[in-house]
Amino acid sequence: MTLSFCPTGELLTLRDAAEYITALPKAEHDAADWQVAMETLLLVAERDGPEMLARIAVMKALNRHSATAMPEPRGKPASVFGLFGDASRNN
């Protein structure tokens, strides 16, 4: 399973990802994103959990310092299409 390209090279296996995480400095290793990544790697390795979950967790941890683009707010609020009716119309 190829997880991603990281500064030290490619993470090709679950073991590569686990070794990468354990080699991180303690402050980085103790970050919540890396703890979640390690837990999901253990879930996959020990309990045959979904590999995609581990991939997502590791990718999220690898990219935790990059700026994320927030979607632009909608120009106008969503309109109600009469599913629940308007209280003023029912009187």
Side-chain angles (χ1 to χ4, degrees), residues 42-76:
L42 288 171
L43 174 72
V44 171
E46 294 177 352
R47 304 205 184 254
D48 199 28
E51 291 180 2
M52 185 57 74
L53 185 64
R55 183 183 191 283
I56 291 168
V58 171
M59 292 294 296
K60 186 172 188 277
L62 284 170
N63 295 312
R64 71 187 195 104
H65 290 299
S66 65
T68 57
M70 295 298 292
E72 290 292 323
R74 291 179 59 132
K76 58 183 180 178

